[in-house]
Amino acid sequence: MNSTHPPVLIVGAGPVGLVAALTLLQNGIPVRIIDRDPSPHIAQRGPVIWPRSLELFKFLDVPEVNNLGRPMPFIRSYKLGTLEPLEDSLFAPHMEPTPAVPFHAPKMIGQPLLDVVLRHHLEKFSCSVEMDTELRSFEQSEEGVTAVLEKNGILETFDTKWMIGADGAKSVVRKQLGLTFLGSTRDDFRIITGDIRLKGVGLDRVHFHRFGSFGGRSLLLRPTDEVGEDGWQFFISDREIALTKIAQSEELIFETIVSFIPTEITFNKLVWVGEYRANIRMVNKFSEGRVFIAGDAAHVHSPTGGQGLNSGVQDAFNLGWKLALVEKGFVDKSLLETFTSERLPVISEMLEMTTAILHESLTTGEVTLQCNPKLFMLGINCRFSSIVLDEFATPVERRPISAYGVFDEGHLEAGDRAPDAPNVLQVGRGESDVKTLFGLYRPWYHTVLMFAPSLADATPILGALEACDTSVVRKAVVLPSSAPVAPVAAPCVDVILVDQEGYAHSAYLVEPNQTKVFVIRPDGVIGAIVHGAEGVKKYFSTIFWDL
C-alpha cells in the first residue's frame, strides 16, 4: 500500500481521520495521514460509543472497540454533603437485545485506547500517522490539491488528488475553504473536564458518581482503568466561580474535588485537564471541490447526548466508500455531492436534539438521556437521498425529512440501516465464517441481498448482475428454511444462505414465499428495496458508470 503520492491526504488523526483512512485503505486506496500534535492524544474526551457506531466498527472488522469497551455504568447520586446514596439511575436508555440489533447497549472506551486500536489496523496496510506535521495552506484545481506542510520547521509541497479535513473544531481546512460555521456559544454552560488519578474512601469503581446538580455546582467522576487502576474522568461545573482560574491550577482542581466529596481523598496525579463551553455550530456544506471536512471540523455541539465522536466517524464512513469508488473510476465524481446532502440533515437534527437535552438538563439539574432512544443512532436514515430507491414504499409528496428518526423494527425503507440476522447457514461452498448477515457487509462493496423462495426464483436477478465487477458488488441469495438445499449450479452467486430460524426474513419484513431484493451499501445502509432485476439495474444506474 506504499505510494510516494497517495491520492488522499487526511489532515487530523483523531478517530474521525483514522476511520476515514481505514475505510479508504480497505477499499484499496492509499492515504497519507498527518497530525499537527507531536504525540497522540492522552485525554479520554468523549468515551461513549453508541450501537450504530459499534455496527460501523463491525463492518470495518475492528472488534476491539466492542470487546475492550466497558458497559456504561449507573449514575449514583448522593445526598448533599454526604456519601449516602440518593439514587442509582441509568445514564442511557435501556434496550432489549433482538436478533436484528446485535449491539443493543453503548460501550465506553477512551480516545487514547480507541486511537491505538485504529492505528494498529492502519499498520496492516503499511500506513502510519505522521505526527508533528502541520497543514499550512493548500490550493486546489480541477485535477488535484497542492498542500504545503510543515514538520520541524521544514516546509514541504505535497500534491494529491483529494484532501479530508478531520482537524477539529478549529479546523485549518474549513477556514481556508471559507465555509460558514454558524451557530452560537452558550455562556451559561461551562465545565472543566479531565483525567485524574485518585483514591477516595467509599468511592467504588462500579458507578459514575455525581455530586450536586448538572449545570449548577457539580462534580461527576467516571472510573476508567485506561487512566490507571485509580483513574477517573472528571467533570466540574460551577456557575459562581471562575472555572478558567481553577483549570490552570492542579492545586485548585484538587481542592475543588475535595470540596464536593466528604471523605478522605488521596491524589496521585492530574493526567490532563481542559475547559469546555458549549459551542453549537455547523457548516453549510461538507466539501468544496476536492476537499472535504468531517467530524468537529464540520460540526460542534453540546456534549449532552455523547453524539459528537459518533457523528464524526459516521461522517467519515459515509464519505470513504464514495470517494473510493470515484478514485477507482467506477463512478462519476458527482456521487461525492451526496456526502453533504445525506449528512447535513442528520447533523442539523443532531444539533437540535443535543441542544434540547442541554437546555432541559440545565433547567432540571438532571441529565435525562434515558428517555431518548434516538441516542442509539439506529434510526438515523437517508430515506430522502437522491441515490436510494424503494419500490415498496408509498410515495408521499413533500414528506418531511426525519433523518434522526426513532428506530422501529416493524418498519423498513431504503435509506435505513440494514438489520442483522443470526443463524444463517451458508450452503454450497463448504465451511464458512458467515453466520450472520453483518458478516457479509464490508465497506468496499455493495451486497445484493436476494430473498427468494428458491434459487431458481433468484436466477433472473443473478443473470442481470452477471457482468458486475465482483470487487465492488457481491451477490447473496437468502432462502427460507423450507427451501430445498440440494446443490444447484449457480456460478453467478457469491453466497447462498439458508435462514434457518427465520430471523433474516423477519428483520427484512419478507414472507417465505416472497421475492424481494435489498441492495446494501458499503456503509451498511439499505440503498435499494426492489422487486427484481429491473429495480436492481435502476439503482446501480444512479451509482456506477456501467452496470
Side-chain angles (χ1 to χ4, degrees):
M1 298 297 298
N2 281 323
S3 173
T4 54
H5 282 280
V8 182
L9 172 65
I10 299 173
V11 182
V16 176
L18 294 170
V19 165
L22 184 57
T23 305
L24 287 163
L25 290 166
Q26 290 187 355
N27 271 275
I29 306 299
V31 304
R32 182 178 182 184
I33 179 168
I34 64 172
D35 197 283
R36 63 179 295 176
D37 290 336
S39 56
H41 298 143
I42 62 170
Q44 289 283 292
R45 299 181 189 268
V48 183
I49 308 295
W50 293 99
R52 181 56 180 163
S53 296
L54 292 172
E55 293 181 355
L56 179 157
F57 288 117
K58 165 70 175 177
F59 302 145
L60 283 169
D61 196 21
V62 185
E64 298 95 328
V65 177
N66 183 58
N67 295 341
L68 297 176
R70 297 295 184 89
M72 189 173 284
F74 278 79
I75 301 176
R76 172 162 287 179
S77 55
Y78 297 88
K79 291 183 178 179
L80 188 64
T82 75
L83 271 183
E84 182 180 347
L86 187 62
E87 66 172 344
D88 290 349
S89 57
L90 285 171
F91 187 81
H94 175 73
M95 181 178 184
E96 292 291 336
T98 71
V101 183
F103 307 105
H104 66 279
K107 291 292 186 72
M108 305 197 84
I109 182 171
Q111 185 170 325
L113 180 55
L114 180 58
D115 286 356
V116 167
V117 167
L118 292 171
R119 287 168 187 250
H120 172 71
H121 282 270
L122 295 193
E123 290 169 2
K124 297 177 182 178
F125 298 90
S126 300
C127 176
S128 59
V129 176
E130 298 177 45
M131 302 302 297
D132 201 18
T133 303
E134 185 175 0
L135 173 71
R136 302 297 295 176
S137 64
F138 66 87
E139 294 180 350
Q140 62 172 315
S141 66
E142 285 291 321
E143 290 73 37
V145 179
T146 299
V148 177
L149 311 178
E150 181 178 357
K151 183 178 178 68
N152 298 327
I154 300 173
L155 296 180
E156 172 196 359
T157 300
F158 181 75
D159 294 318
T160 189
K161 292 183 178 180
W162 313 93
M163 185 165 72
I164 300 173
D167 50 340
K170 298 179 180 179
S171 172
V172 172
V173 176
R174 183 192 67 242
K175 291 174 181 177
Q176 293 198 20
L177 278 180
L179 301 181
T180 63
F181 202 44
L182 298 178
S184 61
T185 300
R186 294 283 297 260
D187 289 323
D188 59 342
F189 177 69
R190 294 193 180 202
I191 59 173
I192 299 171
T193 181
D195 306 326
I196 198 166
R197 297 182 63 179
L198 63 82
K199 291 183 179 180
V201 176
L203 284 182
D204 65 50
R205 297 187 60 77
V206 176
H207 295 89
F208 198 144
H209 300 278
R210 184 182 69 185
F211 302 88
S213 62
F214 182 84
R217 186 172 189 271
S218 67
L219 168 69
L220 293 170
L221 286 175
R222 179 182 74 88
T224 170
D225 292 342
E226 295 173 32
V227 174
E229 61 179 10
D230 56 354
W232 304 82
Q233 183 179 22
F234 69 88
F235 304 85
I236 298 171
S237 69
D238 194 329
R239 298 186 186 185
E240 305 300 324
I241 62 174
L243 291 179
T244 299
K245 181 179 179 181
I246 294 175
Q248 295 170 350
S249 167
E250 181 176 296
E251 183 178 351
L252 288 177
I253 290 172
F254 292 168
E255 289 179 2
T256 303
I257 291 175
V258 167
S259 72
F260 279 101
I261 310 174
T263 189
E264 181 182 341
I265 302 290
T266 303
F267 289 101
N268 181 342
K269 181 182 180 183
L270 179 65
V271 178
W272 173 85
V273 66
E275 187 180 1
Y276 174 85
R277 58 180 178 170
N279 278 298
I280 301 162
R281 302 177 184 276
M282 65 180 291
V283 291
N284 56 325
K285 57 182 177 179
F286 281 67
S287 67
E288 181 68 52
R290 291 176 167 269
V291 182
F292 309 86
I293 55 173
D296 285 355
H299 44 85
V300 293
H301 58 94
S302 159
T304 47
Q307 303 287 282
L309 181 150
N310 293 266
S311 296
V313 297
Q314 290 171 36
D315 290 343
F317 205 46
N318 182 288
L319 172 62
W321 71 270
K322 296 171 181 176
L323 184 55
L325 284 178
V326 171
E327 178 58 24
K328 287 188 280 191
F330 284 107
V331 305
D332 184 78
K333 66 180 182 180
S334 61
L335 178 66
L336 297 171
E337 296 171 7
T338 66
F339 175 45
T340 285
S341 63
E342 289 186 352
R343 292 303 294 168
L344 208 61
V346 171
I347 297 305
S348 178
E349 290 188 32
M350 183 268 288
L351 260 64
E352 289 181 10
M353 179 182 67
T354 54
T355 302
I357 294 172
L358 174 63
H359 179 74
E360 183 178 353
S361 299
L362 290 174
T363 302
T364 64
E366 302 288 335
V367 183
T368 53
L369 304 185
Q370 63 265 35
C371 301
N372 196 336
K374 288 184 178 182
L375 296 172
F376 281 66
M377 310 179 87
L378 297 171
I380 290 177
N381 66 82
C382 57
R383 296 172 182 172
F384 51 86
S385 175
S386 62
I387 57 167
V388 304
L389 173 65
D390 197 320
E391 295 182 343
F392 290 84
T394 303
V396 179
E397 189 174 352
R398 296 181 180 177
R399 181 171 70 168
I401 291 174
S402 181
Y404 239 79
V406 175
F407 175 61
D408 178 6
E409 288 195 49
H411 187 84
L412 195 63
E413 293 185 33
D416 291 350
R417 68 174 277 280
D420 193 15
N423 298 341
V424 292
L425 175 68
Q426 181 171 346
V427 297
R429 293 194 179 183
E431 294 295 319
S432 168
D433 290 333
V434 176
K435 297 178 175 61
T436 70
L437 290 186
F438 274 10
L440 288 177
Y441 307 152
R442 289 293 179 266
W444 60 90
Y445 57 78
H446 280 76
T447 303
V448 181
L449 202 62
M450 292 162 269
F451 286 85
S454 69
L455 192 55
D457 292 298
T459 300
I461 306 165
L462 290 168
L465 296 170
E466 189 172 2
C468 284
D469 191 314
T470 56
S471 70
V472 291
V473 177
R474 299 285 176 91
K475 293 149 286 186
V477 175
V478 182
L479 303 174
S481 58
S482 58
V485 294
V488 179
C492 299
V493 66
D494 296 295
V495 181
I496 302 173
L497 300 170
V498 175
D499 188 14
Q500 295 182 101
E501 298 185 40
Y503 291 133
H505 283 76
S506 176
Y508 284 77
L509 309 179
V510 182
E511 297 297 327
N513 61 350
Q514 185 181 16
T515 297
K516 199 170 185 180
V517 186
F518 298 78
V519 183
I520 314 303
R521 304 188 333 185
D523 57 357
V525 169
I526 299 173
I529 307 177
V530 297
H531 293 281
E534 291 306 310
V536 175
K537 287 181 179 179
K538 184 178 180 181
Y539 168 75
F540 279 130
S541 70
T542 67
I543 304 292
F544 295 107
W545 290 111
D546 300 299
L547 179 64

